[in-house]
Structure formats: C-alpha cells, structure tokens
C-alpha cells in the first residue's frame, strides 16, 4: 500500500511568489504548475481575466519530499489555520474514501468525495481537531 502525506499551502493570491521563494530558499524544483485559467472552465464559477493567472495547483520537489500549492479560489476566503492542509495521496479510490470517512467522524466535510477532472476520487474534510485534509487519488478519471 502506498500512501503519502504532503503539505498543501493555500495562499491568498501569492502562490507564484511563494513558489519562486521556495525555489531559491529550499533549492526546490517545480514539478507542475497550472493556473486557474488553464483548468477546464466551470460556468457556475466564471473567472475574471485577472483571476485566471492565479495558481490553481502546483507541486514542488524539495529534496526527497514534495510540497503542493494553490491560491485560494477567487471569492473563497482562507480561514486562519487553513493556509496549510495535509494532502493524503493514494492510488486506491476505496482507500481514499476509507480515510475520508474516518477523518469526517466528528469533523466537517468541506468538499464531498467525488470524481474530478484531475482525480478519480477527491475530497476535503476538516477533522474534529480543526486540521484540514485533502484526499487525492492518483489515476485516470472518467471525465
């Protein structure tokens, strides 16, 4: 069984700046970077032109570890304490769901488990201790 825990930093419009900072400060390498404008459009959440350049998702390699980043989705504020979440990555959707169900006991579902364009099973939950987890399943989606 392969499971990874990855720090995920959600920033208020400064993710690109943070990525550049960590590239220099930690000798990090950008593995992936995608803006909101490069993602599939969602008519329910239209983006202004100035918002399309914000980071929708990025991954850096720091030594043997990885860090993930995004800017907050336009219009959704980040609560203090939510700037860093823990992303649990698996290759098994049923295992992701198991972890999600366990973490939501006494907690709050932020985004229910669902198939997304980037993951066959993805969800977000804040556990009963106030720690936010993202459950990400690697693999091809049906979308």
């Amino acid at each position: 069984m392969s499971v990874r825990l990855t720090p995920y930093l959600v920033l208020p419009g400064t993710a690109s700046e943070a990525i550049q900072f960590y590239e220099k400060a930690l000798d990090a390498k950008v593995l992936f970077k995608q803006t909101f404008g490069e993602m599939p459009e969602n008519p329910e959440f239209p983006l202004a032109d100035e918002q399309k350049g914000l980071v929708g998702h990025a991954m850096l390699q720091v030594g043997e570890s990885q860090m993930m980043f995004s800017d907050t989705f336009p219009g959704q504020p980040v609560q203090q304490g939510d700037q860093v979440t823990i992303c649990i990555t698996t290759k098994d959707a049923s295992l992701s769901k198991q972890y999600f169900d366990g973490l939501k006991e006494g907690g709050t579902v932020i985004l229910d488990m669902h198939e997304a364009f980037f993951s066959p099973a993805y969800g977000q939950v804040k556990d009963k201790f106030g720690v936010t987890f993202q459950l990400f399943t690697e693999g091809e989606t049906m979308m």
Side-chain angles (χ1 to χ4, degrees):
M1 168 174 56
S2 173
V3 177
R4 289 189 315 276
L5 301 180
T6 306
Y8 199 115
L9 283 66
V10 179
L11 301 168
T14 57
S16 285
E17 181 182 343
I19 290 167
Q20 291 174 0
F21 173 79
Y22 292 121
E23 280 183 288
K24 184 176 179 183
L26 301 176
D27 196 28
K29 305 293 181 232
V30 176
L31 299 178
F32 180 83
K33 183 178 176 186
Q34 184 177 49
T35 65
F36 284 117
E38 294 170 324
M39 294 179 169
E41 290 186 41
N42 183 342
E44 294 180 31
F45 301 101
L47 297 174
D49 287 342
E50 64 272 8
Q51 297 170 324
K52 292 180 180 179
L54 295 173
V55 176
H57 178 68
M59 182 181 294
L60 299 183
Q61 185 76 35
V62 182
E64 295 181 20
S65 299
Q66 296 175 341
M67 295 174 68
M68 295 181 185
F69 295 82
S70 73
D71 284 308
T72 56
F73 189 81
Q76 293 182 338
V78 172
Q79 298 296 316
Q80 187 173 8
D82 286 344
Q83 300 94 326
V84 178
T85 63
I86 298 173
C87 184
I88 300 176
T89 303
T90 76
K91 294 182 180 193
D92 180 344
S94 62
L95 184 59
S96 293
K97 176 86 169 110
Q98 174 187 328
Y99 290 160
F100 182 87
D101 289 342
L103 290 166
K104 76 178 184 182
E105 290 292 321
T108 304
V109 172
I110 298 168
L111 185 63
D112 213 353
M113 289 293 288
H114 67 287
E115 182 178 344
F117 75 91
F118 55 87
S119 172
Y122 177 79
Q124 295 179 19
V125 62
K126 184 175 290 200
D127 72 11
K128 64 183 179 181
F129 302 104
V131 177
T132 300
F133 289 86
Q134 298 182 52
L135 287 294
F136 173 75
T137 308
E138 293 179 330
E140 298 297 316
T141 64
M142 305 294 284
M143 300 177 93

